[in-house]
Amino acid sequence: MGTTGSGPGGLAGDRRLLGRTSTAERVADILRTRIADGFFPPGARLSEEGIGGALGVSRNTLREAFRLLTHERLLVHELNRGVFVRVLTVEDVEDIYRTRRLVECAVVRGLGEPPFALGGLLSAVLGGERSARERHWPGVATADIHFHRELVALAGSARTGELMRGVLAELRLAFHMVDDPRDLHEPYLIRNREILEALEAGRCDAAERLLAGYLDDSRAALVEVYGGLVPDGEAAGR
């Protein structure tokens, strides 16, 4: 996958996002988004020269951005080989879902009294349904991630939101390894809407049950597919 394209889809077009004061955090934000979108797929080597030139940042700034994303478990550094987008193991996927179940269900359980601010969830549901009508399955996956980020945002906790941003970004590394995203994501469109409707009715107990079942089924489906791609315990940068 190229790293220096100058067209609309190329990384050079992201230079404007850095503003007048380029920082490692802003570079990390750009690379995190590109990794989540699949521009840099799992196993891809990230070229310091190519990315630094495209974004117009120093090598030290870029290395700090790499360090931040390595800490977030999105990148891995291989001695004498360079920096690669991480390839998750089956164990990683299982652990991500354990974390999601703990956090997301706790958020729903602790919402308190309705009404809730559900505009973000509704937008994500409608976006997923629109992408499905257009048969744009990566768009369905993106809308699903958006739904769960908005769900966690209902807690009103910046720390929890930051935690889940990293967890969901890491999950997308597994999604990008799957050849048929339709089979993986389409069944959950209606389940997202059911969770939304339960929250609209103020039924947090029902929403939590639906969410727990959703996450258990999603984990099982992804592990079944992913287990045939990457053997358990075998993590690699490429």
Side-chain angles (χ1 to χ4, degrees):
M1 184 74 67
T3 62
T4 61
S6 58
L11 193 61
D14 288 333
R15 186 183 296 197
R16 60 183 175 77
L17 300 177
L18 296 174
R20 298 178 65 85
T21 57
S22 26
T23 65
E25 289 81 5
R26 288 188 180 126
V27 173
D29 283 343
I30 290 170
L31 295 180
R32 186 185 300 109
T33 298
R34 288 295 188 156
I35 291 168
D37 290 344
F39 183 83
F40 297 117
R45 182 179 180 276
L46 302 189
S47 163
E48 283 190 7
E49 181 178 347
I51 293 173
L55 292 178
V57 298
S58 70
R59 179 166 293 184
N60 286 340
T61 295
L62 187 58
R63 286 179 176 175
E64 175 62 14
F66 285 170
R67 188 191 68 78
L68 292 171
L69 295 178
T70 299
H71 181 71
E72 294 178 21
R73 301 171 61 84
L74 296 179
L75 300 180
V76 62
H77 179 264
E78 295 188 5
L79 188 63
N80 298 324
R81 296 197 68 250
V83 175
F84 296 81
V85 178
R86 194 159 164 261
V87 177
L88 302 186
T89 65
V90 173
E91 184 180 23
D92 289 325
V93 174
E94 294 269 13
D95 192 46
I96 286 170
Y97 272 91
R98 281 193 293 269
T99 302
R100 292 186 66 190
R101 206 179 193 281
L102 285 169
V103 174
E104 294 186 42
C105 289
V107 166
V108 172
R109 192 180 315 124
L111 282 179
E113 294 298 319
F116 312 118
L118 302 176
L121 287 181
L122 176 59
S123 175
V125 167
L126 293 175
E129 292 171 346
R130 182 171 56 253
S131 291
R133 288 194 300 271
E134 297 169 352
R135 299 187 178 277
H136 183 229
W137 306 113
V140 173
T142 297
D144 185 56
I145 292 290
H146 178 56
F147 178 88
H148 290 276
R149 287 183 62 178
E150 291 293 331
L151 184 71
V152 171
L154 293 175
S157 167
R159 289 177 179 84
T160 305
E162 184 70 17
L163 167 66
M164 288 306 296
R165 183 185 73 164
V167 169
L168 293 172
E170 193 177 352
L171 179 62
R172 296 201 72 169
L173 295 179
F175 288 168
H176 290 315
M177 296 284 289
V178 176
D179 291 332
D180 189 353
R182 177 177 183 173
D183 283 351
L184 192 63
H185 300 295
E186 187 178 30
Y188 299 96
L189 286 169
I190 191 170
R191 299 177 77 165
N192 283 345
R193 180 166 281 282
E194 288 171 346
I195 293 168
L196 171 62
E197 290 173 350
L199 291 174
E200 288 173 334
R203 299 180 59 228
C204 292
D205 55 343
E208 184 183 354
R209 286 196 301 272
L210 289 167
L211 177 61
Y214 172 117
L215 292 173
D216 288 346
D217 291 345
S218 178
R219 174 194 54 77
L222 181 56
V223 165
E224 181 179 2
V225 173
Y226 199 74
L229 301 172
V230 181
D232 192 19
E234 183 179 309
R238 54 186 175 85

